[in-house]
Amino acid sequence: MIRPIVKDILFLGRKSEPATIQDLPVGQDLQDTLQANRDRCVGMAANMIGVKKKIIIVNIGLINVVMYNPVIVRRDTPYETEEGCLSLSGVRKTIRFQNIEVEYLDAGWKKHRQKYSGWTAQIIQHEIDHLSGILI
């Protein structure tokens, strides 16, 4: 289901709760909502569609990857960049890391540990910040 984008900074500023297997349908809602906003969006966190759960979706080239309870376990090579967000107007400066390693659960509730770099790593960091109530 395509959900409206939340723009309430008080809601977005609160930390998300861990996802459970009962939250799997939120992943499909993120898929649908990202697809509907594909012309202006490459990733989303569940709180952007009104769900306070630790779930993100990231476009990785030709596929979208949904991550349940993602955690960055390693990062290196910081750099300064500017980012925008569907939930916020304008762009803001931030520090990101060129290389990250993330642990997460997939839709089959299987654990993964994956390395990402460049643009994909930046998107993942932005969305994981959303889960902590950090607005960039």
Side-chain angles (χ1 to χ4, degrees), residues 45-61:
N47 63 352
M48 293 175 65
I49 61 169
V51 179
K52 298 297 296 173
K53 293 292 186 152
K54 292 183 177 183
I55 309 167
I56 67 171
I57 186 169
V58 179
N59 177 261
I60 301 176

